[in-house]
Amino acid sequence: MTRPVLVTPATVLPVTVDEVKAALRIAVVGEDGAVEPHDDDGLIETLIQAAVDHYSGWNGTLGISLVESEWEQKFDSFSQILPLLVGPVLSIASLAYRNRSELSTTINDSVYSLKTDAAGRSFVRFANAFILPSDLYEDEAVLVRYKAGWPVDAGKATTPADLRTAIMMRVQLHYDEAATGGSTTLERVEANLLSKYRRFSV
């Protein structure tokens, strides 16, 4: 099994610049009620992305996807169960394999299903009646593409509130000099907010 590879990144961030500005109380609201641009908007967006990168993806501290994105994993051979390492998994986009002649065959989704165990780890489970192909290419013969992360609804991420709050706290630690004095407390609160999501990690 190879490490997961990001194929299609998320289209939005889990929190917006305006939401962070409001949380840090640096937002300026115009007469029309809209949040006005700020000199630090670019910096804040960079800090949000840095927080997302810190938590998410195969190399992230949580090993999860914060917003719906597509991932790819390769396996040298078939087994009854193929573990998917980035969660939470939403769906399997496709499953295919290469034979010794390097010809690719897509497997019908009627012979496998997506399962998730009590620890939140997801995997492909083949039906008992399905005969696992054996005429495989020498390595990385089996390819699974899947969608992981919380869905985007009406152009907005549905990432849970505790994860969104943790991201904003991490941005605050790097943006607000006044927050550095209470960094120990903020980091402890951040850890508490994230603790239940560590079950997705392998």
Side-chain angles (χ1 to χ4, degrees), residues 28-162:
V28 177
V29 180
E31 294 180 1
D32 59 356
V35 178
E36 295 183 352
H38 187 277
D39 290 344
D40 285 348
D41 281 5
L43 172 61
I44 292 170
E45 184 171 4
T46 298
L47 292 174
I48 293 170
Q49 186 63 64
V52 170
D53 293 344
H54 176 75
Y55 296 135
S56 67
W58 171 241
N59 291 326
T61 58
L62 297 178
I64 65 176
S65 180
L66 296 173
V67 181
E68 180 177 344
S69 51
E70 187 169 85
W71 294 80
E72 176 181 286
Q73 266 181 248
K74 293 178 180 178
F75 302 81
D76 288 341
S77 61
F78 279 99
S79 63
Q80 203 73 38
I81 289 175
L82 300 177
L84 305 176
L85 301 184
V86 176
V89 177
L90 296 172
S91 62
I92 300 170
S94 65
L95 201 162
Y97 71 93
R98 289 185 300 160
N99 65 15
R100 288 174 186 157
S101 300
E102 296 196 56
L103 296 175
S104 180
T105 300
T106 299
I107 297 178
N108 192 291
D109 59 11
S110 64
V111 301
Y112 63 83
S113 57
L114 173 64
K115 302 289 186 182
T116 303
D117 66 18
R121 294 168 298 204
S122 295
F123 52 91
V124 176
R125 170 67 161 85
F126 289 99
N128 291 337
F130 177 62
I131 300 175
L132 301 177
S134 57
D135 179 28
L136 300 179
Y137 189 70
E138 60 186 35
D139 65 352
E140 299 183 2
V142 183
L143 171 64
V144 182
R145 286 198 174 185
Y146 58 99
K147 293 185 178 180
W150 283 270
V152 176
D153 183 25
K156 204 172 178 187
T158 60
T159 310
D162 43 10

